[in-house]
Amino acid sequence: MAEEGSKRDSIKMNMKGCQTNNGFVQNEDIPELDLDPGSSEHILGPEEPNAKNIQPYAGMPKEVLFQFSGQARYRVPREILFWLVVVSVLVLIGATIAIIAISPKCLDWWQAGPMYQIYPRSFKDSDKDGNGDLKGIQDKLDYITTLNIKTIWITSFYKSSLRDFRYGVEDFREIDPIFGTMEDFENLLAAIHDKGLKLIIDFIPNHTSDKHAWFQLSRTRTGKYTDYYIWHDCAHENGITTPPNNWLSVYGNSSWHFDEVRNQCYFHQFLKEQPDLNFRNPDVQEEIKDTVTRYSELYHDFTTTQEGMHDLVRSFRQTMDKYSREPGRYRFLGTEAYAESIDRTMRYYGLSFIQEADFPFNNYFTTLDTLSGNTVYEVITAWMENMPEGKWPNWMTGGPDITRLTSRLGNQYVNIMNMLLFTLPGTPITYYGEEIGMGNILATNLNESYDVNTLLSKSPMQWDNSSNAGFSEGNHTWLPTSSDYHTVNVDVQKTQPTSALKLYQALSLLHANELLLSRGWFCLLRNDSRVLVYTRELDGIDRVFIVVLNFGESTLLNLQEMISGLPVRLSIKLSTNSASTGSQVDTRGIFLERGEGVLLEHKMKNLLHRQTAFRDRCFISSRACYSSALDILYSSC
């Protein structure tokens, strides 16, 4: 009993020590207090404090802490905070799901900005041999970024026996030495990506060069290569060939050529040095697919729509999709289907449930020899009315095998056509030099043994007014430079506020920053022999752009007659006449010279595409609405 009494006294001292230790940790040698309520050996004495009267303190033992944690004033706040956290997480998850569900599909890189097409032999020479090359393109990437370009499109630079190094490919897996090496290409690709740009390059599956290894094996009937090309029996006597039928090539002569090695005729849609591949042979299809996977982004160049063509394009799309699974690594597929009717061109988009090309390249503006409000409108509506729902348009005014715009239509249309391209819905595509108004060269002293008409639009890029227009430091260039390079060049125009280059940069910057242009509706107000007038607008934004373009003689236009409630004066956001930008016009009478265009900004709550009178004259590529409160786009307009 003496020991028990001594023990109780010790416990009392321990509890008093807990009460007055002021946060210091107790001696670990002191045994813990047994608080088991069932124990008969512990009886609170009159000197022991009641735990309910003790205030929390630092360093309290867990036995005391448990007595406080169960009290309502401590337990209830904990439970409230716990459920607030749970509810907040659920709300955030729900909001995220809702935003994803109502958000329109983001624009991909090939939709978000303009493409810039480069003919590599004519862009920039880095080794002084008079031919442009891949290193030259890399040297000029900083300039390309000043144009607010998103995608660079380089035409064919595969190893080729043809002197213009474009169509007759000898090897799809090699860079032609005139352009550099595979290492040069890899360096260029890395530099393009470092600038935040994307790259697409030509791929030509229709035919090869007659120097290609496949053709050499096919003409000797070697193994699987026997039927890699289209062969047919034909008569050949005394040097005269009687072809198997009357088919003509695109150059007007017979599309059949007799081969003395195989003693048969082979088919060629273009030159006899460009034999057509036999895509009905599954081995050929697999060869081409294997070539497709060698590069990161490609587009495919088709000429005529044969039976089974679309099955082939779909198979290319499936191959590209296999390499598009990583985020941000989408492989773009476009098709060249020139000289096709609009309905046949649209077939290259694919069907609603089977995708083919992201878009067929739209060359219909390049076929116009004269301009008017009516002809331009016909090209626009033909594409927009026939384009499958949910697909994306594109617009271009030039290319390597097309007469340049200034030589075809006149210098006065450079600015107005650039304004047109950047204010239409879809992707604008610029052929190098169009941003400064380059024209065709004259057909004199051309040393190339090729169709002259295909060379005139491929003259060297005009960088400055030095020798060879700054294109090359060599003694000669593969094609002569244009005679106007002293005034029509990048170096001069980048310092001139009124230049075509300055307007191009302003238009491309506006296109990059304005939802009205990248996602908005296109609504036609008027078209006639002179003018084309349309708006760009978007649900949720109470501003609209009114674009007025004059392709004919000088005219005085009354916008008040077209839009009810239009203010008497409106601000000019951009004008082809730089002196007018930022000023105001009287909407009762806007005077425009030939080739002049203005982009006006106007506050409007009752958007035109909602009005019955304009419903059939409004088009949109990718429907979206803007919420100013949340600063987001949504699709359930």
Side-chain angles (χ1 to χ4, degrees), residues 102-104 539-540 623-627 632-637:
I102 67 173
S103 294
D539 289 289
R623 188 183 298 270
C625 315
Y626 176 71
S627 170
I632 62 169
L633 288 171
Y634 61 98
S635 57
S636 55
C637 302

Side-chain angles (χ1 to χ4, degrees), residues 3 23 76 107 112 144 158 189 201 243 346 373 375 409 428 431 466 500 563 608 637:
E3 288 183 4
V76 172
L107 296 183
I144 293 174
Y158 303 100
L189 181 62
I201 60 176
M346 292 298 146
T375 57
L409 301 171
Y431 182 51
S466 65
I563 304 177
L608 296 184
C637 302

Side-chain angles (χ1 to χ4, degrees), residues 19-159:
Q19 187 176 0
T20 60
N21 73 349
N22 295 321
F24 293 98
V25 180
Q26 299 181 52
N27 191 322
E28 295 181 357
D29 294 333
I30 300 176
E32 293 186 0
L33 178 63
D34 184 3
L35 297 179
D36 185 357
S39 173
S40 60
E41 297 188 21
H42 178 65
I43 302 174
L44 289 174
E47 298 181 10
E48 293 180 297
N50 189 334
K52 294 181 179 180
N53 296 325
I54 300 176
Q55 298 297 317
Y57 55 88
M60 70 180 72
K62 63 182 179 180
E63 294 85 357
V64 178
L65 178 62
F66 288 156
Q67 294 187 44
F68 292 105
S69 63
Q71 295 177 13
R73 60 175 173 170
Y74 298 109
R75 186 186 71 254
V76 172
R78 287 202 313 272
E79 293 178 352
I80 292 174
L81 288 174
F82 171 78
W83 288 111
L84 282 175
V85 171
V86 171
V87 171
S88 298
V89 170
L90 293 176
V91 169
L92 286 174
I93 293 174
T96 301
I97 294 173
I99 290 174
I100 293 174
I102 67 173
S103 294
K105 184 181 182 297
C106 293
L107 296 183
D108 216 321
W109 55 264
W110 49 274
Q111 300 171 305
M115 294 181 177
Y116 191 74
Q117 185 184 22
I118 294 174
Y119 189 75
R121 197 178 179 188
S122 299
F123 196 62
K124 185 67 172 75
D125 171 23
S126 70
D127 57 7
K128 304 181 183 181
D129 69 349
N131 296 285
D133 45 49
L134 299 180
K135 285 185 178 179
I137 296 174
Q138 185 172 342
D139 291 342
K140 291 299 183 179
L141 289 182
D142 285 340
Y143 165 73
I144 293 174
T145 60
T146 68
L147 303 178
N148 303 297
I149 298 296
K150 299 296 183 184
T151 303
I152 297 174
W153 166 11
I154 306 178
T155 61
S156 176
F157 49 81
Y158 303 100
K159 185 178 181 181

Side-chain angles (χ1 to χ4, degrees), residues 197-260:
L197 307 175
K198 297 293 185 179
L199 172 68
I200 61 176
I201 60 176
D202 276 6
F203 183 58
I204 307 156
N206 182 75
H207 52 262
T208 69
S209 165
D210 59 355
K211 303 291 194 299
H212 197 288
W214 297 347
F215 185 77
Q216 296 303 315
L217 292 170
S218 185
R219 69 198 304 225
T220 58
R221 302 177 189 265
T222 303
K224 67 176 184 178
Y225 299 99
T226 299
D227 294 325
Y228 262 43
Y229 296 83
I230 302 171
W231 296 94
H232 204 286
D233 291 333
C234 60
H236 183 76
E237 296 180 0
N238 300 322
I240 300 175
T241 300
T242 303
N245 57 37
N246 62 353
W247 292 353
L248 297 178
S249 75
V250 296
Y251 296 107
N253 56 324
S254 175
S255 60
W256 296 96
H257 183 74
F258 179 74
D259 180 69
E260 295 180 351

Side-chain angles (χ1 to χ4, degrees), residues 28 102 123 183 200 229 364 429 435 443 471 486 530 628:
E28 295 181 357
I102 67 173
F123 196 62
E183 183 181 2
I200 61 176
Y229 296 83
Y364 289 93
I429 301 174
E435 72 275 18
F471 162 73
H486 291 284
R530 296 182 180 181
S628 56

Side-chain angles (χ1 to χ4, degrees), residues 372-374 528-532 549-556:
S372 71
N374 290 331
D528 56 31
S529 61
R530 296 182 180 181
V531 300
L532 177 68
L549 307 175
N550 181 31
F551 299 96
E553 298 296 329
S554 301
T555 187
L556 191 66

